[in-house]
Amino acid sequence: MAEDAESSSAMSLFGDILVIDLTSAIRGMHCTKMFGDYGAEVILVEPIGGSPARRRGPFANGKRGPETSLHFAHYNRNKKSLTLNLHKTRAREILRDLVHSADVLVEDWPVGALDALGLGFAELHAINPRLVMCSITGFGQTGPYAGFKTSNIVEDAMGGLMGITGPVDKPPTMTGAQQAEHITAMHAAFATATALLYRDLQNLGQHIDVSAQECVANVLENAIEQYTYTGVVRKRAGSRHPTAWPCTVFPCKDGYIGMCCTQGKEVRGAALLAEDYDLADDPVLQNQFERRARADELEPRLIAGYMKYGKAELFHKGQALGCPIGMTSDARDLAEDPHLNEVGFFAEFEHPVIGKFKDIAAPVYFTETPGVMRSAAPLLGQHTAEILHSVGLGEAELSFLRTDGII
């Protein structure tokens, strides 16, 4: 359960950590957002025109602009905004000054782009040997694909997730909500936090190379091992699990339910939920392989029973019968979910342009160091003067830097 800034614990997980954020894609912004949610000071370095993420919708009240992107607002709360034109020498000098006291730098620039500006790991490590630098790209820093352009759909496809997702007789299906990018972000955040532990033990930072393709390929259950050991390539199976049944999505009166029963009592409960008492007592349900082989025959019997009821009723009845069952939820269902609202899954933010809005808080709960929702996403360049004052720059120099297009 996240806390607001006023009621937060004096102790936060990353309260003494300074993160420099050179990211604009979800795989980077979501990584640094997690550090900000748990107390780190995150300085988002944006070009003078603003992060490309500010130009992605949806937009508050339908008004397109750099301060109204709900996409940007979600991924950049608890951050400060510093505008720097890193193609200018003086701007790079300022960034190096910030690196002196930074703990982490996360970037998702193309391979070699920061090196070309004199901001690669070798240069920054020489300035601050304790710096942990995390570079997030589509295919990593080395190898034949390094430097190739990617996006979520490319990472989804190249990582193998798309290949096992979708109906049996249809083209592969991209997973929803940019899952490849989020999977990569979570790997990157874990790696960076772990590198900080090593840094504190050995007094030495390091460079982390995060490949989206490899992160996505890491979450394919056992599909790769199935091939390397048996030679069998897992095929798309729609919503059905390849070996378990009933483990799929079922239609019901007002939507769909998702259920995966693997144990005898659970499977019998699925039949009882459908009020098919003959099937509940049929020995076929007690044999995992036989019931999966006969899924086409048995599934319509469950569907016939489930179509009599709504998803909420099936959810509660199924859980009472010991079935792992859930309602398929859309954004409205989640926002109004009584469980999520009671446990503190949401937080309310107030943004000077967007106004008040409800967003997801930090979703992992720590008893001693809870997540802290300190601030909504920053306005473009909102903290530029504050941050530059902290490295010794005065108002006169800031005025010059603005005139020269450096900040």
Side-chain angles (χ1 to χ4, degrees), residues 132-202:
V132 172
M133 181 170 176
C134 180
S135 296
I136 311 172
T137 57
F139 297 107
Q141 300 292 307
T142 61
Y145 301 158
F148 282 14
K149 290 187 175 181
T150 65
S151 63
N152 178 77
I153 195 169
V154 175
E155 297 152 9
D156 201 332
M158 293 293 291
L161 189 57
M162 187 186 297
I164 58 173
T165 304
V168 180
D169 56 350
K170 300 289 184 181
T173 302
M174 182 179 71
T175 53
Q178 307 276 316
Q179 288 307 302
E181 291 273 295
H182 287 94
I183 288 166
T184 304
M186 288 185 275
H187 278 77
F190 171 78
T192 303
T194 305
L196 284 172
L197 288 175
Y198 177 86
R199 189 275 307 267
D200 289 346
L201 290 171
Q202 301 296 329

Side-chain angles (χ1 to χ4, degrees), residues 368-383:
E368 303 301 324
T369 53
V372 181
M373 300 299 103
R374 293 166 293 170
S375 62
L379 300 176
L380 178 59
Q382 179 179 342
H383 304 92

Side-chain angles (χ1 to χ4, degrees), residues 322-345:
C323 298
I325 180 175
M327 303 172 281
T328 57
S329 301
D330 58 23
R332 177 186 297 167
D333 294 327
L334 293 171
E336 298 175 359
D337 186 287
H339 172 79
L340 293 179
N341 280 281
E342 182 174 323
V343 300
F345 181 69

Side-chain angles (χ1 to χ4, degrees), residues 46-102:
E46 302 187 65
I48 292 175
S51 167
R54 291 183 180 273
R55 297 187 284 277
R56 285 191 59 179
F59 295 93
N61 302 315
K63 297 179 180 178
R64 187 183 299 270
E67 309 299 358
T68 56
S69 168
L70 296 175
H71 173 81
F72 181 86
H74 171 66
Y75 290 106
N76 292 287
R77 82 275 187 102
N78 289 330
K79 297 182 184 180
K80 297 179 178 180
S81 172
L82 163 67
T83 53
L84 275 181
N85 180 359
L86 292 176
H87 295 286
K88 298 258 188 179
T89 300
R90 183 66 182 111
R92 296 194 294 274
E93 291 172 352
I94 292 170
L95 185 67
R96 293 188 190 100
D97 287 341
L98 290 170
V99 165
H100 275 288
S101 56

Side-chain angles (χ1 to χ4, degrees), residues 208-257:
I208 304 168
D209 178 6
V210 179
S211 155
Q213 181 191 30
E214 294 178 51
C215 292
V216 173
N218 189 42
V219 298
L220 303 183
E221 197 182 30
N222 51 32
I224 294 176
E225 293 74 19
Q226 183 179 14
Y227 168 73
T228 57
Y229 188 79
T230 69
V232 174
V233 176
R234 181 176 296 182
K235 304 296 183 183
R236 292 184 296 283
S239 295
R240 281 185 185 168
H241 191 276
T243 60
W245 189 88
C247 192
T248 187
V249 175
F250 292 93
C252 60
K253 191 175 182 178
D254 62 352
Y256 297 88
I257 56 169

Side-chain angles (χ1 to χ4, degrees), residues 348-366:
E348 188 172 86
F349 292 86
E350 184 159 9
H351 187 276
V353 177
I354 295 172
K356 288 185 178 180
F357 67 100
K358 183 177 182 179
D359 198 357
I360 297 166
V364 180
Y365 310 142
F366 293 78

